[in-house]
Amino acid sequence: MGHVMPSAEKVQEIREVTRIERIGAHSHIRGLGLDDALEARQVSQGMVGQIKARKAAGVILEIIKDGKIAGRGILIAGQPGTGKTAIAMGMAQALGTDTPFTSIAGSEIFSLEMSKTEALTQAFRKSIGVRIKEETEIIEGEIVEVQIDRPATGTGAKVGKLTLKTTEMETIYQLGQKMIESLTKEKAQAGDIVTIDKATGKITKLGRSFTRARDYDAMGAQTKFVQCPEGELQKRKEVVHTVTLHEIDVINSRTQGFLALFSGDTGEIKSEVREQINSKVAEWREEGKAEIVPGVLFIDEVHMLDIECFSFLNRALESDMAPILIMATNRGITRIRGTQYTSPHGIPIDLLDRLVIISTSPYEEKEIKQILRIRCEEEDVEMNDDALTVLTRIGMETSLRYAIQLITASSLVCRKRKGTEVDVEDIKRVYSLFLDESRSTQFLKEYQQEFMFNEMVPDEMETS
Amino acid sequence: MGDPVEAGRVLSHLAEIEVVAEEILSTRREIIDMDRQRNKTREAIRALQNQKKEDKVWLCNGNMFLKVENAKAVKMLSKDFEALDTEVSSSRARLKPQVKKLRDLEMKDELKGFGLVALTPEERKSVENLL
């Protein structure tokens, strides 16, 4: 086998260190945790409790997977810290990579770069996939021998023979001028596993055959060993791709060359471009060349949208290529942004009418303990049982999010004192260092005179 | 446990799966054999083309040897080649529903998209940047 140079090893080490993944608030969720009968297991795939909401989400998942019903809206509503975003994450994981899943927050719609309707249109089109297939005939095999003869006269064309084999057969191909050039350019030699595209004549080296691994003592660091291909030499390769409508929009609307620098790429895509693309995709659909894959658009904090956005959503849901819309909010009866009227969840009644509503309820003590245990595992923190109980109590009295954030903080405190497990002392220390919302409000009420720009807040925000 | 009706049902389901799997394997073997034959035919055509047109050559057909003109031999072999090509295509077409049936029996999700008509090279070029 080839030898490894010491400097190559160091480079690899550096690369691994930079690949530490950031652990998000919901990274422990792998799915909805439902069994085959769509019943929710108490603790499964990172989800805990919230049985009714998860079951409802599971039913909706089946509707989405069917793919035949599009343009449905779902609203997940509940108090803060009751698992709304977690359920949406669970659904995204359960759908897999085949179905487009776009997640945005309500406030993202408002940006200086583009108008609200453009931002929403882009979000919608990112959630609609188009499935297409490409097909090529290829010849794939291990090179047994390459024989190239230069003509004796010096002016004729080169002629050559290529012997290829698989595990089942072996054959000789006569080579034309262009093939000989490609082979020489690719430096293809006996023992290489290659793929030749029949239509274009392009040669791709896949690696070297395992049987030739001991041929040389010193080989390049890039050498990859591959098994000899099986079956027939001439194969038909079919690849299925799923691209989103938004991606197609973007490549078709990009201003060419340096003019883009001067005209300023606004990020807005002209509606003519979109119409053209819609008709092209419809044409492909007719010809059986494309399939529409309606995906899921998740809008968190949907109460941040204003009345114009809601009218847009109403219309967009009626299109025949609409994705499934899942919205989440923790507001109760609130003013609809852009108007003086109030309505449940800050969403106009006519949109609410089109939605199926899933409600989430606050977690019980056992569930909070389980969630904290899962988060400890996810963040790689060892905690003893007493500390976990104290943390659960804190979670019950303050909020789940506050308790989760204490996990990492307390693990750092623990490491500082060179301990192995987080214990009650560590939890107490971070509890006193970091205030939660109610203690912070208390503190403010007592010392409000000392703060700059102090003003009395008239009404507290409704969150239930 | 030990319910004979259940055991019978499981056995027959497994037997069904085995039957479909065997069908798929035999179609694969057919394709491989035909490709082998196709390659040999192509080599033969090449070899004959390097000789003069008027020469007579020996052609083996089954267990009969025939002496025919070079040109005629090339024509016969080319016809065989075309026939093999069509056979391979139709075998591949048969393979798809068989695999679909197997995945169905194994309670696996369907492989999506392989029933689509393939894009033409121009169309493929238009979405090249995305792939």
Side-chain angles (χ1 to χ4, degrees):
Chain A
M1 287 297 256
H3 68 275
V4 178
M5 293 175 25
S7 57
E9 272 191 64
K10 249 196 236 154
V11 171
Q12 213 165 13
E13 207 182 87
I14 296 171
R15 236 184 276 145
E16 275 177 24
V17 163
T18 52
R19 273 197 63 215
I20 295 174
E21 286 160 354
R22 291 179 59 206
I23 299 187
H26 296 101
S27 59
H28 60 282
I29 300 202
R30 308 259 175 270
L32 280 176
L34 306 174
D35 62 21
D36 288 330
L38 290 184
E39 291 292 327
R41 298 197 188 93
Q42 180 64 18
V43 180
S44 169
Q45 287 189 309
M47 301 230 61
V48 176
Q50 214 60 255
I51 305 282
K52 283 204 336 208
R54 281 161 61 203
K55 265 170 52 169
V59 170
I60 294 180
L61 215 54
E62 291 301 307
I63 296 180
I64 297 173
K65 278 195 198 148
D66 257 352
K68 302 198 190 95
I69 304 177
R72 285 288 174 86
I74 294 110
L75 175 65
I76 309 178
Q79 290 165 314
T82 51
K84 298 183 293 295
T85 314
I87 290 185
M89 288 293 126
M91 289 175 84
Q93 296 283 351
L95 279 173
T97 45
D98 227 14
T99 316
F101 186 97
T102 315
S103 169
I104 59 172
S107 37
E108 276 178 48
I109 303 289
F110 305 97
S111 99
L112 289 175
E113 283 177 359
M114 57 180 91
S115 69
K116 293 176 294 195
T117 40
E118 174 66 22
L120 277 174
T121 311
Q122 283 193 11
F124 266 82
R125 284 174 85 82
K126 277 184 195 161
S127 320
I128 302 172
V130 180
R131 201 178 277 140
I132 46 180
K133 183 178 88 162
E134 49 165 340
E135 203 174 77
T136 38
E137 294 263 340
I138 57 168
I139 299 173
E140 185 180 67
E142 179 185 329
I143 298 181
V144 177
E145 187 187 355
V146 184
Q147 190 187 330
I148 300 178
D149 301 319
R150 272 205 201 88
T153 54
T155 52
K158 293 196 202 137
V159 290
K161 287 202 181 102
L162 174 67
T163 314
L164 279 178
K165 74 165 186 182
T166 68
T167 53
E168 315 261 354
M169 63 182 80
E170 181 175 317
T171 190
I172 304 181
Y173 288 94
Q174 304 283 349
L175 300 171
Q177 184 71 12
K178 277 184 84 183
M179 276 305 284
I180 295 178
E181 279 172 24
S182 307
L183 275 175
T184 329
K185 208 165 72 154
E186 286 292 318
K187 302 207 187 76
Q189 43 174 284
D192 286 337
I193 312 266
V194 294
T195 300
I196 306 173
D197 185 323
K198 267 200 105 181
T200 61
K202 180 157 177 274
I203 301 181
T204 320
K205 253 204 251 185
L206 299 175
R208 262 185 96 66
S209 168
F210 273 119
T211 55
R212 301 300 196 105
R214 298 196 180 274
D215 270 6
Y216 307 113
D217 290 329
M219 279 179 279
Q222 313 292 337
T223 321
K224 197 166 50 153
F225 290 103
V226 185
Q227 262 188 346
C228 183
E230 294 181 341
E232 68 272 38
L233 268 168
Q234 187 169 322
K235 300 186 166 86
R236 183 182 297 167
K237 191 169 96 160
E238 296 178 16
V239 185
V240 173
H241 300 277
T242 310
V243 297
T244 65
L245 280 180
H246 176 68
E247 290 173 333
I248 307 180
D249 289 347
V250 167
I251 55 167
N252 279 298
S253 80
R254 214 170 266 164
T255 345
Q256 299 295 338
F258 67 83
L259 279 179
L261 288 172
F262 295 99
S263 65
D265 208 348
T266 56
E268 300 238 358
I269 298 174
K270 299 196 180 61
S271 58
E272 299 98 61
V273 173
R274 289 212 168 103
E275 274 167 41
Q276 261 187 334
I277 290 174
N278 284 350
S279 65
K280 194 71 194 180
V281 171
E283 207 184 289
W284 280 5
R285 242 171 133 186
E286 293 279 304
E287 298 171 358
K289 288 183 177 157
E291 265 171 13
I292 302 281
V293 188
V296 176
L297 173 59
F298 175 61
I299 306 183
D300 211 346
E301 318 280 333
V302 71
H303 50 266
M304 295 297 288
L305 263 46
D306 64 16
I307 187 76
E308 290 166 21
C309 297
F310 287 125
S311 320
F312 179 89
L313 285 183
N314 272 334
R315 218 186 58 234
L317 275 180
E318 314 220 325
S319 140
D320 63 344
M321 283 208 292
I324 305 266
L325 184 62
I326 303 183
M327 303 187 275
T329 178
N330 57 24
R331 297 288 193 266
I333 310 247
T334 317
R335 189 176 67 86
I336 305 174
R337 286 189 86 180
T339 69
Q340 296 296 329
Y341 302 112
T342 59
S343 88
H345 310 296
I347 301 175
I349 302 267
D350 58 346
L351 179 56
L352 274 176
D353 219 14
R354 293 161 210 262
L355 305 175
V356 168
I357 304 182
I358 301 177
S359 75
T360 57
S361 42
Y363 289 107
E364 300 176 9
E365 179 157 6
K366 279 188 307 182
E367 294 167 342
I368 292 188
K369 189 165 195 175
Q370 190 59 42
I371 295 175
L372 289 172
R373 195 175 284 137
I374 294 177
R375 281 308 299 178
C376 282
E377 234 179 83
E378 180 72 14
E379 299 189 18
D380 216 5
V381 172
E382 293 278 340
M383 195 179 290
N384 67 23
D385 284 331
D386 292 331
L388 191 59
T389 316
V390 170
L391 199 58
T392 312
R393 195 80 51 73
I394 293 177
M396 286 290 290
E397 284 169 24
T398 59
S399 84
L400 180 57
R401 278 209 177 85
Y402 176 69
I404 290 178
Q405 280 168 7
L406 286 188
I407 294 177
T408 322
S410 57
S411 93
L412 280 167
V413 168
C414 164
R415 220 182 300 155
K416 273 287 160 139
R417 67 171 174 81
K418 308 238 192 315
T420 47
E421 277 192 323
V422 172
D423 64 18
V424 186
E425 284 311 310
D426 301 322
I427 305 272
K428 278 198 186 154
R429 183 150 167 71
V430 288
Y431 182 74
S432 62
L433 284 174
F434 300 105
L435 299 177
D436 59 283
E437 182 251 321
S438 53
R439 279 183 294 158
S440 179
T441 326
Q442 196 86 18
F443 176 81
L444 271 179
K445 286 206 178 118
E446 289 176 42
Y447 294 100
Q448 62 196 7
Q449 305 301 333
E450 321 279 335
F451 278 93
M452 279 173 73
F453 307 127
N454 172 53
E455 53 181 284
M456 288 301 291
V457 177
D459 288 304
E460 201 175 283
M461 208 156 53
E462 270 285 336
T463 54
S464 57
Chain B
M1 290 294 150
D3 179 5
V5 176
E6 271 302 309
R9 219 178 293 168
V10 169
L11 261 176
S12 66
H13 188 229
L14 284 174
E16 244 189 291
I17 293 180
E18 284 298 313
V19 165
V20 178
E22 191 52 49
E23 280 175 26
I24 292 177
L25 286 174
S26 96
T27 314
R28 284 282 302 138
R29 278 192 290 264
E30 268 179 44
I31 294 177
I32 292 172
D33 286 337
M34 280 191 280
D35 193 47
R36 192 183 294 125
Q37 195 64 28
R38 199 170 41 171
N39 279 320
K40 291 285 170 234
T41 312
R42 184 183 41 78
E43 285 177 17
I45 295 177
R46 274 281 162 229
L48 288 182
Q49 278 172 343
N50 291 338
Q51 297 185 355
K52 288 213 284 253
K53 277 223 172 98
E54 298 74 41
D55 285 354
K56 292 207 182 230
V57 292
W58 283 106
L59 200 64
C60 175
N61 193 348
N63 53 8
M64 251 195 324
F65 277 90
L66 306 167
K67 194 164 195 186
V68 287
E69 257 174 33
N70 194 338
K72 196 153 181 232
V74 170
K75 230 170 42 168
M76 286 171 71
L77 287 173
S78 300
K79 229 172 59 161
D80 276 350
F81 190 82
E82 306 283 310
L84 283 168
D85 242 357
T86 352
E87 269 302 306
V88 168
S89 286
S90 71
S91 291
R92 286 194 175 128
R94 251 190 304 134
L95 206 49
K96 279 215 183 95
Q98 284 174 342
V99 173
K100 186 162 179 256
K101 193 166 172 211
L102 181 66
R103 283 185 81 93
D104 200 30
L105 284 174
E106 288 181 325
M107 317 280 191
K108 282 194 196 152
D109 272 333
E110 208 183 304
L111 285 173
K112 303 245 172 72
F114 287 95
L116 288 172
V117 173
L119 296 180
T120 65
E122 306 90 56
E123 289 167 346
R124 198 195 165 286
K125 218 166 275 171
S126 71
V127 282
E128 186 124 66
N129 298 337
L130 296 176
L131 302 181

